[in-house]
Amino acid sequence: MDMFTIRGARDSLADLPAIETARLSVAALQPADAAALRRLTDDPAITAAVDFLPTPFTLQDAEDLIRSGRRGRDCFLGAWTRGGDDPGVAPDPAGRDLVGVVGTHLRGTGTIEIGYWIGGAARGRGFAYEAVSAILGLLGARFPARLVVAECRPANVASWGLLQKLGFRDTGEEGHRPGRRLLRRD
């Protein structure tokens, strides 16, 4: 294996391992997860906040989003409750409940962008902090030289506060998406 092959394998999100937290299993979404992803994401509160998600969010959209991870530049990880009996969350037929998604995206040679969304019934219960915190730990170990960034609307008080709690700071720069600011994790 030469140096270019080793770097190519290391600079990929395609094989991120699953992570267990106190309440969640976080793992790359698979084709079999498309129906659960559609159920969670086909919510105007989510599709309005995440600029690349169409409304309505169809099963085909879910399948396409999951497939986008094949190239290794993007990976969407599902945050599933462990045990499948969380009150207020619609049960998945497989016996687990998808409560959120964390997106990871390689940007250039030195940056990883993260983003996330949490389903309505699961909001305000600490799932976003738990899932994103676990992913940040994984990314920090896997890509120690990369800067981790996020984009957020300042008016999105809940996400802005969560990002600050996770160690992100406003860079003072506009993000690439309309109305968003760029935050970086120190």
Side-chain angles (χ1 to χ4, degrees):
M1 194 180 259
D2 65 26
M3 178 175 72
F4 296 107
T5 305
I6 293 169
R7 180 180 172 112
R10 193 175 54 230
D11 286 350
S12 175
L13 297 168
D15 62 347
L16 290 177
I19 304 170
E20 299 285 322
T21 69
R23 300 179 296 163
L24 301 171
S25 294
V26 183
L29 290 166
Q30 300 299 314
D33 301 327
L37 177 60
R38 190 218 49 85
R39 279 192 304 278
L40 175 83
T41 306
D42 189 29
D43 172 350
I46 292 172
T47 57
V50 182
D51 69 325
F52 61 84
L53 296 176
T55 301
F57 188 79
T58 67
L59 183 59
Q60 183 65 56
D61 296 323
E63 291 167 348
D64 292 345
L65 188 77
I66 292 167
R67 246 189 321 275
S68 72
R70 287 187 192 158
R71 296 180 303 274
R73 303 292 302 164
D74 303 292
C75 181
F76 291 92
L77 301 111
W80 305 85
T81 56
R82 293 174 38 182
D85 58 356
D86 193 29
V89 178
D92 181 81
R96 347 175 259 162
D97 305 322
L98 181 65
V99 295
V101 174
V102 179
T104 57
H105 316 280
L106 295 178
R107 302 286 190 239
T109 58
T111 306
I112 297 176
E113 181 181 354
I114 62 134
Y116 52 89
W117 61 90
I118 300 295
R123 288 186 200 120
R125 299 173 58 198
F127 289 128
Y129 180 85
E130 192 170 330
V132 175
S133 180
I135 295 302
L136 289 171
L138 174 64
L139 294 174
R142 176 91 176 257
F143 303 100
R146 285 188 183 254
L147 174 67
V148 180
V149 300
E151 289 188 8
C152 186
R153 290 183 181 100
N156 185 342
V157 176
S159 281
W160 192 272
L162 174 65
L163 290 168
Q164 288 183 321
K165 184 176 177 181
L166 289 165
F168 285 84
R169 300 293 170 248
D170 186 357
T171 65
E173 300 173 40
E174 294 298 314
H176 291 93
R177 294 168 192 88
R180 290 171 173 78
R181 297 285 296 236
L182 183 67
L183 296 98
R184 67 179 276 166
R185 188 160 190 253
D186 297 320

